[in-house]
Amino acid sequence: MAQRAQDHVDGPRLTASLAALARFGGREDGGVSRQTLTEIDLAARRHLVAQARALGCEVRIDDCANLFFRRPGREDLPPVLTGSHADTQPVGGKYDGAYGVLAGLEVIAALNAAGIETLRPIEVVSWTNEEGSRFGPGTMGSSAFAEPARLATYRESVDQAGIRFGDALDAALAASDDVTRVPMARPMAACVELHIEQGPVLEAAAVPLGVVTGIQAVRWFRVECAGTMAHAGTTPMAVRRDAMAVAVAIAQDLYALAPRAAAGSGDAGQPGAAELRLTLGQWTVAPNSVNTIPGKVTFTVDMRCLDDAMLDRAEAALRLACTRHAPATDVVVTRFFHRGPTYFPEAMLASVQRACERASEVAGRGAPVRLTSGAFHDAMYVADLCPTAMIFVPSKGGISHNAAEDTDAADLVLGARALAYTVAELACRQP
Ligand code: GLV
Ligand code: MN
Ligand code: MN
């Protein structure tokens, strides 16, 4: 049955469905800009709802506006969950997240076409705000689903225009009043998320499918540096209280922790996998004027490593740098996201491995490899609720969070075949 589901995945149908969703927020450079809960994202959600209903799915939504597309099983057992997210970075690609959601719907289309009835229901989820670029932190929808108490804090998160996540969420929920509301933290039998790798490992290994063993740890910080706005031409250097000078000094201390020369360290299969990765991606400067000394500079720090102890040391170094370069009252550090490393259970890896092996073999392609994920994913929080795993397909040039993000159509189809096999097998498993 799992093989039949896999063989009924339809390449052209999946390709067309990826292209159709990419039009929501599509950019001239080929990328997609569809940040969470914007008008464009809400339109994309309506499109997904219509697509799921056309496949015969019941559509449901929870308090964090996570959308669930449900194909019933023979029995009303806890469902098998698959899917990902439909929001993108400010400048993102067509596949980061969208691929997992649409491949999930393709699995349902394949099961319908093959006339397969599963024991358990299957639900395809489109999680809210995985990216975290508009409202921090990332993986809001999936982490709130896993632990609903998190939602109250998330509701207070504010975007750069001053809009509260809670208000954007309420508007999205009001626009979905024709959709049944379901509780969060519902029991799930298992979860498999399919995603593009977003890194260079599969391409370098020249294999189309990866069995993801886990996800590296991540911490996000906001660093707010205070100064005094003053005239750029008249204020002597000795008396300035320059917020940018403090921010730059802290940034230099941080970059010294993660030298580019360290790249290449780590295990042989995944160069650099064990290194500290550091990104200072979002800066706001007030008043942001060429001839005024900055009165306030706020920047974010994204730290990642497989080894959480490395992040303990990096966090301590960040806090030390803040006290080294300014009086304590002038710098405020807030950690607003942290998650230790995630390891998927071996039984789930074995399921995914079987599916990937069969899909690769039928297609005459190289056998799957195991790898860890450098990016975080919704699956890391779902893993707290039920046995979870992930499948990766290659990213050309390892590029993602970029309009040029791309994956061969044949690899995208192969990933969907591996997903169909895994989901069908899990959905037919006896309790
Ligand atoms: C997800 O988008 C991440 O930043 O890892
Ligand atoms: Mn993603
Ligand atoms: Mn992303």
Side-chain angles (χ1 to χ4, degrees):
M1 184 184 291
Q3 296 192 0
R4 229 151 36 83
Q6 184 168 84
D7 296 341
H8 276 80
V9 165
D10 183 315
R13 185 171 56 201
L14 176 63
T15 303
S17 123
L18 287 163
L21 184 59
R23 283 196 274 278
F24 293 85
R27 294 162 47 92
E28 279 187 358
D29 58 8
V32 177
S33 180
R34 192 171 57 231
Q35 289 203 87
T36 195
L37 301 185
T38 54
E39 282 305 319
I40 288 171
D41 183 39
L42 298 188
R45 287 163 170 266
R46 288 193 290 277
H47 167 83
L48 287 172
V49 166
Q51 187 175 344
R53 284 190 174 138
L55 289 169
C57 294
E58 187 195 341
V59 179
R60 299 153 142 210
I61 196 164
D62 69 15
D63 290 354
C64 200
N66 297 311
L67 279 169
F68 299 89
F69 310 127
R70 179 178 170 98
R71 184 181 194 262
R74 273 196 306 283
E75 293 180 25
D76 191 18
L77 293 164
V80 171
L81 188 65
T82 185
S84 191
H85 59 98
D87 65 313
T88 74
Q89 288 284 313
V91 181
K94 295 185 280 290
Y95 303 131
D96 175 0
Y99 172 50
V101 177
L102 295 173
L105 290 176
E106 176 55 35
V107 169
I108 293 198
L111 291 168
N112 289 351
I116 293 173
E117 207 183 31
T118 53
L119 173 66
R120 294 172 180 279
I122 295 169
E123 293 195 18
V124 178
V125 60
S126 183
W127 299 111
T128 297
N129 189 22
E130 188 274 348
E131 294 291 357
S133 50
R134 180 179 175 201
F135 300 103
T139 60
M140 265 192 191
S142 49
S143 59
F145 182 81
E147 195 181 317
R150 291 185 172 117
L151 186 54
T153 314
Y154 294 166
R155 289 183 63 88
E156 301 311 315
S157 176
V158 190
D159 73 2
Q160 286 186 314
I163 298 170
R164 274 175 75 246
F165 177 72
D167 294 333
L169 182 59
D170 290 343
L173 289 168
S176 309
D177 58 0
D178 59 332
V179 176
T180 310
R181 191 74 76 89
V182 284
M184 299 204 280
R186 283 178 297 135
M188 295 286 166
C191 173
V192 192
E193 181 173 357
L194 173 64
H195 207 282
I196 54 167
E197 183 205 329
Q198 309 182 271
V201 178
L202 293 179
E203 187 177 68
V207 297
L209 295 172
V211 176
V212 184
T213 55
I215 299 177
Q216 70 175 340
V218 54
R219 298 187 195 189
W220 282 5
F221 302 87
R222 187 177 304 106
V223 182
E224 294 166 271
C225 307
T228 303
M229 291 179 206
H231 196 290
T234 62
T235 316
M237 295 305 282
V239 301
R240 291 174 180 221
R241 192 167 155 257
D242 183 342
M244 182 57 84
V246 172
V248 167
I250 295 168
Q252 280 171 338
D253 279 12
L254 279 176
Y255 280 125
L257 296 175
R260 287 169 56 94
S265 64
D267 62 73
Q270 259 181 282
E275 71 190 5
L276 171 67
R277 293 186 177 151
L278 197 66
T279 305
L280 279 52
Q282 194 177 63
W283 290 73
T284 52
V285 181
N288 207 20
S289 161
V290 67
N291 49 355
T292 298
I293 297 164
K296 179 149 189 196
V297 174
T298 303
F299 64 97
T300 55
V301 182
D302 172 314
M303 305 176 171
R304 317 256 184 140
C305 192
L306 266 178
D307 177 6
D308 213 25
M310 171 84 94
L311 295 191
D312 285 341
R313 292 194 290 279
E315 177 170 348
L318 165 63
R319 293 187 186 281
L320 180 70
C322 292
T323 55
R324 237 161 61 86
H325 296 294
T329 47
D330 281 3
V331 185
V332 178
V333 188
T334 312
R335 187 172 79 178
F336 64 103
F337 185 25
H338 75 113
R339 172 79 185 179
T342 302
Y343 300 99
F344 298 129
E346 184 51 46
M348 286 296 291
L349 300 184
S351 264
V352 163
Q353 177 100 27
R354 267 195 304 284
C356 292
E357 277 170 3
R358 202 241 172 204
S360 309
E361 201 179 305
V362 171
R365 306 282 302 274
V369 295
R370 290 193 171 201
L371 75 170
T372 51
S373 176
F376 58 71
H377 296 286
D378 294 301
M380 77 186 176
Y381 282 107
V382 184
D384 291 344
L385 271 190
C386 66
T388 297
M390 290 190 75
I391 303 169
F392 275 173
V393 295
S395 292
K396 287 188 189 170
I399 293 172
S400 187
H401 287 190
N402 184 314
E405 168 202 288
D406 200 12
T407 298
D408 267 334
D411 294 349
L412 292 168
V413 175
L414 215 56
R417 289 194 194 284
L419 182 69
Y421 187 107
T422 315
V423 166
E425 189 187 66
L426 292 168
C428 290
R429 227 175 246 179
Q430 293 292 336

